[in-house]
Amino acid sequence: MSLSLDPNAISLATLRDLWSGAPARLDDASMSRVANAAASVERIVAGGETVYGVNTGFGSLANTRIPDDRLAELQRNLILSHSAGIGDPLPRHVTRLMIVLKLLGLGRGFSGVRPLIIDALQGLLDRDAMPLIPSQGSVGASGDLAPLAHLISALLGHGSIDVAGTIMPARAALQKLEIEPLELGPKEGLALINGTQASTAIAVDALFMGERVFAAAIAAGALSVDALKGSIRPFDPRISERRGQPGQIRVAAEIAGLLDGSAILASHGRCGKVQDPYSFRCQPQVMGAALDLLTHAARTLTIEAGAVTDNPIVFPDEDTAISGGNFHAQPIAFAADMIAMALCEVGSISERRTAVLVDPKMSGLPAFLVEDSGVNSGLMIPQVTAAALVSENKGLAYPASVDSIPTSAGQEDHVSMAPIAARKACQIARNAAGVVAIELIAAAQGVDCHAPLETSYTLQVVHAKVRALSPYLTTDRYWADEIAALQDAVLAGVIGESEFLS
């Protein structure tokens, strides 16, 4: 069943469903607002008022008045000239989300496009036809010009379209799908390419991948506590409540709950060990802070999903169009950098737990978690892989949002770099998933070393999922496929409570 979308009431849960590929279309009220705004643009043009992007040039050419008989040409040229992206195409699911987000923004009824534009974009979704959109070329102001131009160019018959997995020239794809190439009206080209939908779609992808990585890291961290025969006392709610940070309180409760009922934990309640390494006992403080960042980013992206971010903004009740700067993606840039920093730390503390578990001096477990070490290297090199991914993430986590470079002959003299921040956050999420996958292998191996004692029932479920992809290690074997399979499982939300954000 298709979701009926009200752009004025988008929740994080709805956004998650859209990211997951749920079919959707604008509700009737949105279509009515779209029609009203389009009629307003017609009246503005008929009245002869000079309005940026409706009957003027763009960027530094904003003061050039365009004759009425060339307005359609103006909009078409805008799309073609701005289709200047480069690099690998965006993933299909990100392109799909980008289209949905554009529909949401247009559906607010302040952009001035005709309903046929909505129908054309909806037609791509309904037919699983995703234009190939180069991932590089946007600085996140004036909106995501190049990526959005490539989206609309496909509807004009230029570029390429992926039709249910088959890549075709756009014009041939439109013919196959029985979609007429678009003829743009006044302001429509500008309304379609001004906006933050590419940056937002990529950042949402990073957010929900990151949510799954975070959930798996909580499960891995709890399993590692049992593998180390670590203490549950740092997760006492009284400690976190005295500090008051909401993420810390949540994480402490989650880890304590995961460990509840563990026979391994019960076996060493009276041992003489006083404190565990920070990567174990400070999980609520570190992971909680990361959760707070992810929560803040989620709030920003949920708002942006239904935002009006093109320019100028049409106010149909007054038949006016006001130029502003809602296309500037600084909120998205900051949100994406927060996601990047949070996931960088999630990976960092996970790798440290793995390093402790493979070190017999720290863990009391067999060296590199394998018997007959020396002949066997065990998890020696998987830990090196985790360290390499963490180090790569440190470089990627440098904030893109603190950078800017002037464009358009100085007219657009401060830009957000949001799409760059978002793409980096996605890579960090994938890397962190690999780090957590390696910790899961190490933690499962460590827990097995305590047999016949067992971990908690909840963690036994996690352990079984790990063992389904990575059997108990008795002697050295080829690692890469197992690590990749667990990395995929983390990103698929198979490990842990996948919907951590609300």
Side-chain angles (χ1 to χ4, degrees):
M1 183 176 178
S2 182
L3 293 175
S4 180
L5 298 177
D6 175 4
N8 295 300
I10 298 300
S11 66
L12 183 66
T14 299
L15 193 55
R16 189 186 286 108
D17 288 342
L18 295 172
W19 173 72
S20 299
R25 62 177 54 247
L26 291 175
D27 62 12
D28 292 342
S30 298
M31 295 303 293
S32 179
R33 289 191 297 266
V34 168
N36 288 340
S40 180
V41 169
E42 290 182 8
R43 292 191 293 270
I44 291 170
V45 172
E49 181 183 353
T50 299
V51 178
Y52 172 71
V54 175
N55 47 23
T56 74
F58 308 102
S60 63
L61 301 175
N63 294 321
T64 302
R65 181 69 156 81
I66 308 298
D68 288 355
D69 61 356
R70 303 194 70 184
L71 294 185
E73 179 186 358
L74 170 71
Q75 299 298 318
R76 180 179 180 81
N77 286 350
L78 172 70
I79 299 301
L80 297 180
S81 67
H82 285 52
S83 299
I86 197 169
D88 294 335
L90 294 174
R92 292 185 96 256
H93 71 282
V94 173
T95 298
R96 184 188 181 283
L97 182 59
M98 180 175 157
I99 296 171
V100 175
L101 294 177
K102 175 52 75 175
L103 286 171
L104 288 172
L106 298 175
R108 290 282 299 277
F110 297 100
S111 300
V113 303
R114 294 166 294 168
L116 68 86
I117 300 294
I118 304 298
D119 293 340
L121 291 169
Q122 186 67 49
L124 294 176
L125 297 177
D126 293 345
R127 295 167 175 82
D128 193 24
M130 300 297 113
L132 263 60
I133 299 175
S135 57
Q136 295 171 281
S138 173
V139 293
S142 296
D144 295 310
L145 295 172
L148 288 166
H150 280 281
L151 168 61
I152 305 308
S153 280
L155 286 169
L156 301 180
H158 296 272
S160 300
I161 299 178
D162 179 341
V163 181
T166 300
I167 297 174
M168 307 172 63
R171 190 165 294 276
L174 294 179
Q175 290 175 348
K176 177 182 176 66
L177 298 170
E178 298 182 347
I179 297 176
E180 287 294 322
L182 278 182
E183 294 288 341
L184 299 174
K187 193 187 179 292
E188 287 180 337
L190 190 60
L192 289 166
I193 70 169
N194 255 183
T196 64
Q197 287 78 28
S199 295
T200 304
I202 302 168
V204 167
D205 192 35
L207 176 72
F208 289 132
M209 276 198 292
E211 180 183 38
R212 291 175 172 181
V213 172
F214 183 90
I218 293 292
L223 198 63
S224 288
V225 170
D226 249 3
L228 185 68
K229 287 193 172 180
S231 174
I232 197 173
R233 297 192 70 183
F235 314 119
D236 188 313
R238 293 172 295 180
I239 296 174
S240 294
E241 286 165 3
R242 294 305 174 273
R243 191 173 201 178
Q245 296 290 351
Q248 177 178 332
I249 293 169
R250 172 90 182 274
V251 168
E254 290 286 340
I255 295 176
L258 288 169
L259 288 165
D260 185 44
S262 168
I264 297 173
L265 183 66
S267 73
H268 60 90
R270 297 183 179 276
C271 70
K273 186 162 52 171
V274 177
Q275 290 184 331
D276 297 321
Y278 286 0
S279 56
F280 290 78
R281 64 182 160 107
C282 293
Q283 289 184 74
Q285 290 77 14
V286 176
M287 295 293 284
L291 178 58
D292 287 339
L293 277 184
L294 293 174
T295 299
H296 183 86
R299 187 180 308 117
T300 296
L301 294 176
T302 302
I303 293 170
E304 195 75 5
V308 180
T309 58
D310 67 277
N311 184 60
I313 294 175
V314 177
F315 294 91
D317 292 345
E318 305 169 10
D319 284 348
T320 59
I322 303 176
S323 289
N326 278 6
F327 51 72
H328 200 295
Q330 199 70 48
I332 310 309
F334 285 149
D337 280 337
M338 288 181 198
I339 295 167
M341 289 188 289
L343 296 180
C344 186
E345 285 304 284
V346 168
S348 177
I349 196 170
S350 171
E351 182 276 330
R352 286 293 80 203
R353 290 191 295 268
T354 299
V356 169
L357 293 179
V358 301
D359 184 346
K361 299 185 298 297
M362 296 289 288
S363 67
L365 296 166
F368 302 106
L369 299 172
V370 68
E371 297 298 335
D372 199 14
S373 57
V375 173
N376 291 309
S377 295
L379 272 80
M380 178 189 295
I381 302 307
Q383 186 270 324
V384 173
T385 298
L389 291 171
V390 166
S391 190
E392 181 178 322
N393 278 356
K394 292 174 188 175
L396 290 170
Y398 184 86
S401 58
V402 302
D403 185 26
S404 182
I405 189 168
T407 61
S408 192
Q411 176 74 6
E412 297 156 7
D413 60 349
H414 184 278
V415 298
S416 72
M417 301 302 181
I420 297 169
R423 286 192 290 109
K424 292 198 297 110
C426 287
Q427 185 59 54
I428 288 173
R430 289 187 287 268
N431 287 350
V435 176
V436 173
I438 291 167
E439 184 190 359
L440 286 165
I441 294 171
Q445 190 74 8
V447 163
D448 286 341
C449 290
H450 301 312
L453 294 174
E454 292 184 327
T455 187
S456 70
Y457 174 77
T458 305
L459 288 178
Q460 285 179 48
V461 173
V462 174
H463 179 275
K465 291 177 179 178
V466 175
R467 283 289 174 247
L469 298 171
S470 179
Y472 178 74
L473 181 67
T474 56
T475 188
D476 280 345
R477 61 175 184 254
Y478 186 81
W479 275 120
D481 293 344
E482 293 177 31
I483 295 171
L486 266 169
Q487 180 185 33
D488 289 345
V490 169
L491 292 172
V494 172
I495 311 293
E497 176 62 47
S498 61
E499 295 186 4
F500 231 91
L501 301 171
S502 58

